[in-house]
Amino acid sequence: MKKIHMVDLKGQYQAIKERVDSAISEVINSTAFINGPEVRSFQEELEAYLGVKHVIPCGNGTDALQIAMMGLGLRPGDEVITADFTFAATVEVIALLQLTPVLVDVEKDSFNIDPAAIRKAITPRTKAIVPVHLFGQAANMDEILAIAKEHNLYVIEDNAQGIGADYTFADGRVAKTGTIGDVASTSFFPSKNLGCYGDGGAIFTNNDALAHTIRGIVNHGMYQRYHHDVIGVNSRLDSIQASVLRAKLPNLNAYNNARRAAARKYNKAFEGIETIITPKITKNCTATTNTVCDNCNCHVFHQYTLRIIGVNRDALVKHLQAHDIPCGVYYPIPLHRQKAYADARYNEADFPVTNQLIQEVISLPMHTELDNEQIDYITQTVIDFVTQ
Ligand SMILES: *Cc1c(COP(=O)(O)O)cnc(C)c1O
């Protein structure tokens, strides 16, 4: 059996090596390392793929979130509501801009921000909601858009884990995640579903004026050479990274299909095991709960995350490691309990779901190159432990 990796970037590279190698050497030969034509072409190709008017490439997914918030003109003291159960980048940029992060609880089935908790957290100072499409499945955007409309709030989607995912609205309309709110951010970190070979990120929006503002912010606040109209940053996607992304974008649907196929096999193997709760599909697509769609992208499985009930999770992690199976706990500590983001206003009783999930979740290897033999070995090793 091939060695099992949490993410197999090497195997994926082997399959596209010629295309990637020639794309990279073309950039080197052109010496257009910054803002070269590759960046522009990638931008246009991603706009077409997503069905969004503007993609603004930038340095990484954390910058993308920060720049999105700067572009919206959020001011110190404005409150921004986001999920307690996510990667710290989301809350970090809110705090860096001296906005006030307001962390709220998530839903048990989807791991995503809970609309009821958003409603409870709204004050006259609330200016924006940041849903994170965690692990590759969209948050409840019907509800979130309704809340935003009612209270005149911006919606900033953190789509770092959801690129390529579809969201089906209650009325049947389908849109790619990242094209639904006022603005969205994504990351091309190598392990993301569309990853480059270094750092990269992008901002998406359908709003022409906001796109114009953001294009200046990513470039030192310049709209005209050496005229700095607003305070900006330097955040760019390198041409070499853009060329890698151009080589991989045509495969994104196939990559996400491969992830879904692996998820389907995992789910099947764990069927009937009472201590294991497999990921739930929660949206309005044709899938019923607990099935993985054949032909729709409602979940793109950035992570395949189980909930383990009544089993010592840390002992399971050790058991898997002892069998050369990597795994991850995303996320072991909720943001409201992190030193940097702790706040007297948070009450443990407000985070029952997050506090439960941090003890139950375990993510298994998930990438585009998993084969049946590896999945059988992983699932059998998990089942042996939880049923012993
Ligand atoms: C990866 C990630 C980010 C940050 O992306 P970088 O490119 O590493 O800066 C932000 N939010 C979420 C949810 C992520 O998973």
Side-chain angles (χ1 to χ4, degrees):
M1 187 176 59
K2 284 189 298 181
K3 183 171 159 51
I4 299 172
H5 301 279
M6 195 66 186
V7 176
D8 186 1
L9 295 176
K10 188 79 172 268
Q12 194 188 58
Y13 168 64
Q14 294 303 341
I16 53 170
K17 183 174 180 340
E18 265 173 46
R19 200 150 27 117
V20 169
D21 289 359
S22 78
I24 291 176
S25 61
E26 272 171 39
V27 173
I28 295 173
N29 276 316
S30 77
T31 71
F33 296 113
I34 301 288
N35 289 336
E38 288 295 301
V39 179
R40 182 67 195 225
S41 299
F42 170 64
Q43 171 195 317
E44 290 168 0
E45 287 158 9
L46 188 57
E47 284 166 353
Y49 173 84
L50 293 169
V52 73
K53 274 174 97 175
H54 305 280
V55 166
I56 302 122
C58 68
N60 59 67
T62 309
D63 277 5
L65 262 175
Q66 176 180 331
I67 293 159
M69 289 177 200
M70 291 169 75
L72 290 172
L74 300 181
R75 314 291 315 159
D78 287 351
E79 292 181 1
V80 179
I81 297 175
T82 193
D84 188 36
F85 188 67
T86 178
F87 182 56
T90 322
V91 69
E92 176 179 85
V93 299
I94 298 171
L96 266 176
L97 292 172
Q98 294 182 287
L99 313 173
T100 304
V102 178
L103 298 167
V104 302
D105 209 6
V106 296
E107 301 170 323
K108 213 176 283 179
D109 282 350
S110 68
F111 307 116
N112 277 321
I113 195 164
D114 180 356
I118 297 175
R119 280 189 191 280
K120 269 200 249 162
I122 289 173
T123 76
R125 289 179 301 282
T126 307
K127 286 286 157 32
I129 306 168
V130 185
V132 181
H133 303 309
L134 203 73
F135 303 152
Q137 178 167 236
N140 185 341
M141 296 307 289
D142 282 283
E143 278 288 316
I144 291 167
L145 291 186
I147 295 169
K149 195 165 175 208
E150 204 177 305
H151 296 272
N152 198 22
L153 309 175
Y154 293 118
V155 175
I156 306 162
E157 300 173 72
D158 181 345
N159 198 35
Q161 302 188 4
I163 196 149
D166 285 324
Y167 180 74
T168 307
F169 289 88
D171 66 6
R173 201 162 49 87
V174 179
K176 289 274 177 222
T177 56
T179 69
I180 299 167
D182 295 284
V183 60
S185 61
T186 203
S187 165
F188 304 121
F189 186 81
S191 65
K192 301 284 156 97
N193 289 33
L194 178 63
C196 58
Y197 292 173
D199 273 313
I203 301 133
F204 315 148
T205 184
N206 282 310
N207 179 324
D208 297 340
L210 180 60
H212 174 76
T213 303
I214 287 173
R215 281 187 206 288
I217 291 173
V218 298
N219 188 27
H220 303 291
M222 276 196 289
Y223 297 89
Q224 202 188 328
R225 208 164 168 74
Y226 299 121
H227 294 251
H228 304 272
D229 295 352
V230 296
I231 297 174
V233 295
N234 168 24
S235 187
R236 295 184 284 237
L237 181 71
D238 289 352
S239 303
I240 286 180
Q241 299 306 341
S243 78
V244 172
L245 290 165
R246 284 193 76 198
K248 289 177 76 170
L249 181 59
N251 291 357
L252 179 57
N253 284 346
Y255 290 157
N256 285 338
N257 286 339
R259 288 173 178 272
R260 240 189 330 273
R264 209 175 288 127
K265 290 174 200 160
Y266 275 137
N267 279 1
K268 181 130 194 56
F270 293 133
E271 239 168 46
I273 310 281
E274 279 172 12
T275 44
I276 295 179
I277 300 179
T278 54
K280 292 224 175 9
I281 304 290
T282 58
K283 297 303 168 274
N284 308 308
C285 74
T286 51
T288 50
T289 295
N290 253 5
T291 68
V292 177
C293 306
D294 289 324
N295 50 10
C296 110
N297 292 303
C298 55
H299 199 321
V300 294
F301 290 97
H302 176 61
Q303 298 292 348
Y304 180 84
T305 303
L306 299 174
R307 290 171 52 209
I308 303 291
I309 311 297
V311 171
N312 183 331
R313 195 254 325 262
D314 296 336
L316 171 60
V317 169
K318 286 210 182 79
H319 177 78
L320 293 177
Q321 284 165 347
H323 288 79
D324 291 321
I325 299 170
C327 60
V329 172
Y330 312 114
Y331 295 91
I333 306 172
L335 292 176
H336 78 271
R337 265 192 249 151
Q338 299 285 357
K339 254 193 220 163
Y341 307 112
D343 191 299
R345 127 185 75 103
Y346 296 134
N347 186 337
E348 287 301 328
D350 291 332
F351 304 99
V353 178
T354 301
N355 284 339
Q356 182 183 342
L357 291 177
I358 56 154
Q359 297 175 46
E360 296 176 346
V361 290
I362 180 167
S363 300
L364 298 181
M366 175 48 79
H367 53 76
T368 57
E369 314 300 314
L370 282 169
D371 63 33
N372 288 341
E373 192 188 3
Q374 292 174 315
I375 291 176
D376 289 344
Y377 175 71
I378 295 165
T379 52
Q380 201 50 57
T381 310
V382 172
I383 291 168
D384 285 348
F385 184 85
V386 301
T387 58
Q388 75 189 349

